Amino acid sequence: MFNIDGSPSPARPAPGGSKLPHSRYILRAMDAAFSEKIATLYRAHITVLKLRHDRALDAAGFDHAVIFAGAQHVAFLDDMGYPFKVNPHFKYWVPIVDNPHCVLVYTPGVKPRLIYHQPVDYWHKPAGPPEGWWTAPFDIEVIAKPEDAAKLIPKSGRIAFIGEWDDSFKAWGKLESNPPSLLNRLHFDRAWKTEYEIECIRAANETGARGHKAAEKAFRAGESEYEIHLAYLRAASTTEDELPYGNIIAVNDNAAVLHYYHHDRNVLDKKERHSFLIDAGASYNGYASDITRTYSQRRDEFAELIKAVDKAQLELCDAVVPKANYPDIHMMAHRKVAELLKEFKFVDLDPDAIVEKRISSTFLPHGVGHYLGLQVHDVGGFQKDPEGTTIPKPEGHPYLRLTRVVEPSHVFTIEPGLYFIEPLLAELRKSENAKYVKWKKVDSFRKFGGIRIEDNVVVTDNGHDNLTREAFAALA
Ligand code: GLY
Ligand code: MN
Ligand code: MN
């Protein structure tokens, strides 16, 4: 079913996400047929992981990988824990995201050993027994105390430890912590998502789209950022800790703060409300979606600009085909933003000159997207090869997170934006380029903050499937 790197073999059926009846995906997490499908794909996923780890361990000269799920961190001078964030290498193998002190031991040719932590604890709810659809690939050893793992760790050969290191692990034997020669190889392969991973990201998009629809409704009903956030969580049936990243729920000029994590409680009067940007995702089996939409309060020129950015975003998605160079898509986004700056009369210059003079970077100061998967900003985006040679970013574009060539079964975001960001506009105003800018027009748009449209796409053999648009269409 998969090549050794996880890319689909020619026998893979034509990518059919968009061709299946959309209703099939609604509430799929509760759907028995979907659960069966996930379980089947998971078995194939594990086969791919074994091949990838065999190859990486061999090339890096290791005999075993010991993958630590992570420990619970506690606040300074306190007994309150931070939300637990599992090691992505662990959830790659095991879809358990909420159980610290588990360990996966992988030795080529040997059934993977899962050391499963199940403490006796009357202060906290301990993990349940290791049961269910995901358990078959493992020899499972249950431990009551973290230190009990020591006796289950291999004692001979070269051992790579993957996870957050703590000196207490010295008691486990001679471990080499996070060797780059191994991690680079594993991270390089992570770019090719297995069908299991794609289905998980698809499901995370469905959940996210449900949250987005409820959030838009709450905005239209005049609710505060805080209330919109709650509407999102409820509709997506998710807790804050389960979100793949903090919800960005930005009304008005708060949309100009790229990582705006406040949730303002103020209910604004209708005439004080202008715009709404929401960047919010969801998780499924440890895989993320990452979705942004922008709305205008009125049918005004800002609404026209949103429509134009949305159209540009779809055109950028159309550029997602195998062999496309991702930095070219990023530069195409700059060109499209430049065209809009000209068309909407923010800047009086030809689009090429707007890009060339780097004026577009004031209005689009982030990369057009990034890999997506176990991590929101998934690893490996700069890797040229398994050894870890990097592909440089285009000069003047320091925030681009993906410089690789596009290949089937890659999953990434396409997220152009156009913002009115106070400190960046202040810089532009002081620069040589200030004379090209129609400041009165620009100033009149500051109250809207900005626009971002973000979808998650999976590359197919001859194009892409847009998981986010499919998820929204299913709810229409
Ligand atoms: N939500 C984070 C990002 O779009 O990259
Ligand atoms: Mn993103
Ligand atoms: Mn986002």
Side-chain angles (χ1 to χ4, degrees):
M1 198 166 199
F2 294 99
N3 300 323
I4 191 166
D5 61 5
S7 59
S9 72
R12 181 190 181 201
S18 54
K19 290 162 205 81
L20 293 167
H22 284 123
S23 59
R24 173 135 179 235
Y25 293 108
I26 296 172
L27 295 176
R28 55 162 63 224
M30 293 160 65
D31 177 314
F34 178 68
S35 301
E36 181 57 42
K37 180 179 181 188
I38 280 285
T40 304
L41 292 177
Y42 177 68
R43 288 193 286 277
H45 170 76
I46 292 292
T47 302
V48 172
L49 295 204
K50 287 179 183 169
L51 292 169
R52 288 179 180 179
H53 283 69
D54 289 350
R55 187 171 60 174
L57 286 163
D58 181 54
F62 287 92
D63 301 296
H64 316 275
V66 169
I67 304 172
F68 179 56
Q72 175 72 58
H73 290 288
V74 174
F76 181 55
L77 297 181
D78 207 338
D79 59 357
M80 297 292 158
Y82 291 106
F84 174 67
K85 298 291 175 197
V86 69
N87 174 359
H89 284 271
F90 181 83
K91 62 177 173 171
Y92 198 23
W93 283 93
V94 185
I96 300 293
V97 298
D98 58 357
N99 191 10
H101 296 291
C102 292
V103 186
L104 192 280
V105 179
Y106 182 67
T107 305
V110 178
K111 192 172 186 185
R113 166 176 283 176
L114 174 61
I115 303 171
Y116 187 84
H117 184 224
Q118 199 184 20
V120 177
D121 185 347
Y122 58 88
W123 293 103
H124 309 99
K125 185 170 160 48
E131 290 172 350
W133 59 273
W134 58 271
T135 53
F138 308 110
D139 268 335
I140 299 180
E141 301 272 0
V142 176
I143 55 167
K145 294 198 265 340
E147 55 271 30
D148 293 345
K151 60 179 184 293
L152 298 165
I153 304 297
K155 295 293 174 249
S156 62
R158 225 178 136 203
I159 307 169
F161 175 93
I162 303 177
E164 204 175 351
W165 177 259
D166 180 282
D167 278 351
S168 66
F169 297 128
K170 286 180 181 163
W172 288 12
K174 198 166 171 295
L175 309 178
E176 294 177 51
S177 171
N178 298 303
S181 58
L182 179 65
L183 291 193
N184 285 340
R185 289 182 158 83
L186 294 173
H187 290 174
F188 186 69
D189 285 349
R190 283 251 300 268
W192 291 278
K193 268 49 183 183
T194 64
E195 288 195 54
Y196 162 77
E197 294 181 294
I198 291 167
E199 283 307 302
C200 289
I201 299 168
R202 191 191 300 277
N205 267 273
E206 288 160 8
T207 305
R210 281 203 301 280
H212 272 258
K213 293 295 273 190
E216 182 193 355
K217 201 165 154 207
F219 168 69
R220 301 272 183 222
E223 295 185 10
S224 68
E225 291 174 350
Y226 174 69
E227 290 165 324
I228 296 169
H229 173 62
L230 296 182
Y232 181 95
L233 294 179
R234 178 181 282 271
S237 183
T238 192
T239 65
E240 295 233 30
D241 290 351
E242 289 164 349
L243 291 171
Y245 56 93
N247 276 355
I248 297 169
I249 306 277
V251 170
N252 294 349
D253 57 350
N254 292 333
V257 180
L258 294 181
H259 289 166
Y260 175 78
Y261 294 131
H262 295 265
H263 301 310
D264 197 327
R265 263 79 163 171
N266 282 332
V267 176
L268 297 177
D269 197 67
K270 193 166 178 191
K271 61 181 182 308
E272 296 173 305
R273 296 162 68 83
H274 309 298
S275 63
F276 172 43
L277 182 152
I278 170 170
D279 184 344
S283 308
Y284 187 86
N285 287 353
Y287 288 85
S289 58
D290 179 7
I291 304 169
T292 309
R293 290 292 182 268
T294 311
Y295 306 97
S296 184
Q297 174 75 35
R298 305 179 182 82
R299 288 200 188 146
D300 50 10
E301 199 182 8
F302 187 66
E304 291 303 309
L305 189 58
I306 293 172
K307 228 192 268 172
V309 173
D310 189 66
K311 180 169 172 277
Q313 194 269 358
L314 284 171
E315 287 162 7
L316 293 170
C317 290
D318 286 342
V320 175
V321 289
K323 302 234 176 338
N325 192 31
Y326 195 85
D328 292 345
I329 301 176
H330 175 81
M331 292 316 299
M332 209 183 289
H334 274 266
R335 165 80 202 192
K336 286 184 181 297
V337 164
E339 285 166 10
L340 294 179
L341 291 172
K342 168 97 180 153
E343 183 188 330
F344 282 77
K345 300 190 167 45
F346 293 111
V347 181
D348 190 17
L349 262 184
D350 283 340
D352 283 341
I354 291 175
V355 175
E356 198 230 309
K357 291 179 186 295
R358 306 240 166 113
I359 296 171
S360 57
S361 295
T362 296
F363 297 89
L364 171 54
H366 59 71
V368 76
H370 49 83
Y371 281 149
L372 177 73
L374 289 163
Q375 292 166 265
V376 177
H377 298 151
D378 218 8
V379 290
F382 302 116
Q383 271 184 252
K384 184 178 182 164
D385 55 36
E387 287 75 31
T389 315
T390 56
I391 308 168
K393 300 166 196 180
E395 210 198 314
H397 296 266
Y399 300 114
L400 181 59
R401 294 173 189 271
L402 177 47
T403 52
R404 281 168 71 167
V405 170
V406 168
E407 294 191 29
S409 69
H410 285 188
V411 176
F412 45 74
T413 67
I414 295 288
E415 50 177 304
L418 199 168
Y419 312 86
F420 303 90
I421 300 174
E422 204 284 320
L424 299 183
L425 291 173
E427 250 174 53
L428 180 61
R429 195 155 212 160
K430 280 189 272 163
S431 77
E432 276 275 289
N433 289 327
K435 57 182 178 283
Y436 305 117
V437 178
K438 299 289 171 202
W439 287 104
K440 236 172 116 183
K441 179 74 184 273
V442 166
D443 291 346
S444 73
F445 271 66
R446 289 178 192 256
K447 66 182 182 203
F448 299 110
I451 300 168
R452 178 163 66 257
I453 309 287
E454 177 175 27
D455 288 343
N456 307 162
V457 300
V458 51
V459 185
T460 60
D461 290 340
N462 40 30
H464 70 277
D465 281 346
N466 188 322
L467 302 179
T468 310
R469 301 264 173 176
E470 286 171 16
F472 276 107
L475 297 174

